[in-house]
Amino acid sequence: MENFAALTYLAAGVLFILALRGLSHPETARQGLTFGMVGMGLAIATTLLLPQVTAYVPIVLAIAIGGGIGAFIANKIDMTALPQLMAGFHSLVGLAAVFVAGAAFNDPEAFNIGTKGDIHLASLIEMSLGLAIGAVTFTGSIIAWGKLQGRISGKPVTFGGQHQLNAFLGVIMLLMIILLCVTGSAVVFWAIALLALALGVLMIIPIGGADMPVIVSMLNSYSGWAAAGIGFTLHNNLLIITGALVGSSGAILSYIMCKGMNRSFLNVILGGFGGEQASASAADMGDRQAKIGAAEDAAWIMKNASKVIIVPGYGMAVAQAQHALREMADILKHEGVDVKYAIHPVAGRMPGHMNVLLAEANVPYDEVFEMEDINREFAQADVAYVIGANDITNPAAKSDSSSPIYGMPVLDVGKAKTVLFVKRSMGSGYAGVDNPLFFEDGTMMLLGDAKKMTEDIIKAMES
């Protein structure tokens, strides 16, 4: 049975790797999900067949409850709420790691890691790391969920000496882990848990809105490392492999996101980005007036264009405008207009947010381009149709060194002959920074709900 479990765990691990590979591109994402589900089913079935598993009733009951809740959430969740859903799921992984570590510490004989008061040193190290990372992941993910859900302000919460305090608490936690390994004290064990819970809150509250996509992927990485640590405690090779896969892929994704924002990962963690200051506030704009247009104006401009580049942002997600957007693009293509979509690495509230929404609307994959592949084409575009994006198109990121988003690569929509901005209002974006592009001569503001505005443009085109 031991050899059979090892082989099936290996097969499940390979399926998880294939799942990650499949999820790297929209065309193979469904296949990747299938690989992942089959791998997880195989892993669960194999674990239930292990000889040390005897209490089937509570296990099956737990799976039924958890699976039922998951199925309910999956059917009810809006596409716009996926980022906070991911943050919520990450918190559950962290909490599970804390519970498993607590159970193993309280009853080490059941986990075959020693006796109470005399736990193996290697197990104490693994357990304490899983506990600490899991606790940080739990509270950090709760704060991220609150910011994304709007229950907590998206602006950074900062105070004097914040970074020094976080560093001090981090050092104290490492020292306490060493002390736990030396003494095996229950007081030290739970003190590590409490300190890690506090550190998770303190690490995430200074993070501003524009950095949330990076935080989501970072917490994903944390949850993986927490699972890997607990895998060592449980002597479960597949949990170690799976946790390492999630942890490493999340870390790589965080690096890619940071590179896309021209920011170091350490700067994101210690920063508190967005909302502290707004270099282009309404007061700084003086008496400048934006050109306000209507759906009929936008329809005429785009139907007479030869090339239109669409830039989706979080406003498209909120309004659920992706289907109307695809319909508008289909009309333009029928008129002979070249239509493309430009995706910024941090558009939306999580990595790939815009790609998922466009795929839901059956937008052809070959029309969707990443920023580095399409940015040069804005200079040849007649129209840039920006729907609900602000920070990722803000030229202040290139020109204003005092701006909180300075240095972040942005889509060069201002180089198009005409820029059509679809927004609910003239307000600033999620990072709290106003966009001076709103007041340029070649910009027309289309104020209103993104879905309704796009549908009105479609009606104007058809008439």
Side-chain angles (χ1 to χ4, degrees), residues 9 35 47 65 88 106 128 250 283 363 450 452 463:
Y9 276 167
F35 283 138
T47 303
I65 294 172
N106 186 62
S128 57
V363 171
K452 186 178 185 307
S463 63

Side-chain angles (χ1 to χ4, degrees), residues 97-374:
V98 173
F99 283 165
V100 171
F105 185 82
N106 186 62
D107 189 10
E109 293 93 340
F111 292 81
N112 197 27
I113 58 174
T115 59
K116 201 163 186 177
D118 187 24
I119 299 175
H120 301 156
L121 177 60
S123 297
L124 280 174
I125 294 173
E126 297 154 4
M127 187 191 308
S128 57
L129 289 175
L131 171 71
I133 299 173
V136 168
T137 304
F138 173 63
T139 51
S141 298
I142 292 295
I143 297 300
W145 173 86
K147 284 176 175 280
L148 292 166
Q149 188 69 17
R151 302 293 179 87
I152 302 174
S153 173
K155 294 183 178 180
V157 179
T158 58
F159 52 85
Q162 189 170 36
H163 301 330
Q164 293 83 349
L165 175 62
N166 289 348
F168 175 74
L169 292 179
V171 171
I172 293 297
M173 190 163 65
L174 287 175
L175 293 175
M176 291 179 72
I177 289 174
I178 295 172
L179 183 62
L180 175 68
C181 295
V182 173
T183 64
S185 168
V187 174
V188 176
F189 179 88
W190 293 113
I192 292 172
L194 292 174
L195 192 60
L197 290 171
L199 194 57
V201 174
L202 292 171
M203 285 177 60
I204 304 302
I205 58 171
I207 307 299
D211 276 342
M212 288 314 295
V214 181
I215 296 306
V216 171
S217 61
M218 181 200 72
L219 290 169
N220 178 56
S221 177
Y222 283 3
S223 67
W225 297 124
I230 294 305
F232 283 103
T233 301
L234 296 175
H235 303 293
N236 188 301
N237 292 332
L238 182 61
L239 188 55
I240 297 170
I241 293 170
T242 305
L245 283 172
V246 174
S248 57
S249 61
I252 293 170
L253 180 58
S254 299
Y255 169 76
I256 293 172
M257 300 291 286
C258 287
K259 186 178 179 182
M261 298 168 66
N262 194 31
R263 293 164 64 77
S264 71
F265 188 71
L266 184 63
N267 181 257
V268 171
I269 299 303
L270 299 180
F273 175 54
E276 309 98 314
Q277 54 185 330
S279 61
S281 65
D284 296 330
M285 293 301 174
D287 296 328
R288 298 186 67 183
Q289 296 294 320
K291 186 190 301 179
I292 309 298
E296 292 77 14
D297 303 318
W300 187 88
I301 292 171
M302 283 193 283
K303 284 192 73 173
N304 286 278
S306 59
K307 183 172 186 174
V308 173
I309 299 179
I310 298 171
V311 180
Y314 187 65
M316 181 191 77
V318 172
Q320 288 287 281
Q322 61 269 25
H323 296 281
L325 193 64
R326 192 218 66 209
E327 186 179 351
M328 183 188 78
D330 288 344
I331 293 173
L332 289 173
K333 287 187 289 182
H334 182 72
E335 295 288 333
V337 181
D338 179 17
V339 178
K340 294 182 178 180
Y341 297 80
I343 308 296
H344 192 280
V346 294
R349 300 289 175 84
M350 72 175 185
H353 198 181
M354 298 300 104
N355 302 76
V356 170
L357 292 174
L358 294 178
E360 182 198 15
N362 295 317
V363 171
Y365 299 132
D366 58 0
E367 295 177 7
V368 181
F369 296 86
E370 300 299 325
M371 179 178 68
E372 61 269 19
D373 298 322
I374 199 170

